[in-house]
């Protein structure tokens, strides 16, 4: 089960500074192209291509919400090397291609908490902060950063 606070902001710099000032470990930065496939069973398949080289597939409950806290089931990612085969499997499972997102993602972690700091370029420019991980730890961190997001969109 994924336990995640996710919210749109006008600027990501405060959150990057928060991570640095609080000794979060910088894990990675990559450019991603993510294509979403939806199924009538309430799940979505996601193909993520990182830095135009590595391809990953995962599945997630398709719960859209305006709430900041989201809890939903999610599978681990699997890396694959044949895009046509994966798209064929998704089609066989009756997943329909929906939309494609392009973003830059920065990831920081500490004590079971992961910050995913996303700068979207498509379908529109947007900035999203996600804080996920161990429930108790995530709740504490969210309370600490709440004051930073007076600039929430």
């Amino acid at each position: 089960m994924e336990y995640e606070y996710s919210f749109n902001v006008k600027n990501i710099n405060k959150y990057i500074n928060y991570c640095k000032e609080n000794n979060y470990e910088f894990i990675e930065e990559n450019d991603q192209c993510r294509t979403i496939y939806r199924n009538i069973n309430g799940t979505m398949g996601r193909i993520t291509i990182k830095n135009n080289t590595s391809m990953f597939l995962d599945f997630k409950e398709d719960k859209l919400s305006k709430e900041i806290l989201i809890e939903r089931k999610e599978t681990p990612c699997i890396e694959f090397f044949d895009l046509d085969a994966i798209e064929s499997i998704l089609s066989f499972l009756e997943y329909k291609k929906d939309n494609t997102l392009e973003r830059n993602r920065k990831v920081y972690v500490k004590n079971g908490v992961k910050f995913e700091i996303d700068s979207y370029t498509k379908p529109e420019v947007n900035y999203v902060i996600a804080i996920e991980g161990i429930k108790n730890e995530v709740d504490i961190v969210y309370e600490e950063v709440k004051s930073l997001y007076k600039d929430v969109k």
Side-chain angles (χ1 to χ4, degrees), residues 112-147:
V113 175
K114 181 192 320 181
F115 270 83
E116 295 174 336
I117 301 173
D118 294 333
S119 300
Y120 287 86
T121 56
K122 288 186 181 175
E124 62 187 35
V125 173
N126 195 23
Y127 305 99
V128 177
I129 306 300
I131 308 166
E132 66 179 59
I134 300 169
K135 181 184 183 325
N136 294 345
E137 295 294 327
V138 171
D139 288 341
I140 291 167
V141 171
Y142 173 71
E143 288 300 319
E144 289 176 4
V145 301
K146 242 174 35 174
S147 65

Side-chain angles (χ1 to χ4, degrees), residues 48-111:
T48 304
I49 301 173
K50 291 184 180 181
N51 296 326
N52 290 318
T53 57
S54 304
M55 297 183 288
F56 300 89
L57 173 67
D58 71 333
F59 295 88
K60 193 174 203 174
E61 283 184 300
D62 193 8
K63 291 182 182 177
L64 295 177
S65 172
K66 299 240 184 246
E67 298 297 317
I68 290 176
L69 176 61
I70 303 168
E71 293 182 81
R72 54 188 164 182
K73 294 177 187 171
E74 181 177 24
T75 68
C77 291
I78 56 169
E79 187 170 7
F80 66 90
F81 304 97
D82 186 339
L83 182 60
D84 291 336
I86 293 298
E87 286 180 330
S88 175
I89 291 167
L90 287 170
S91 177
F92 179 82
L93 296 172
E94 299 182 355
Y95 281 84
K96 306 282 187 239
K97 190 176 195 176
D98 186 14
N99 61 335
T100 300
L101 312 168
E102 292 183 12
R103 67 184 174 199
N104 174 273
R105 171 168 280 179
K106 295 170 179 56
V107 179
Y108 295 84
V109 296
K110 177 181 165 185
N111 297 337

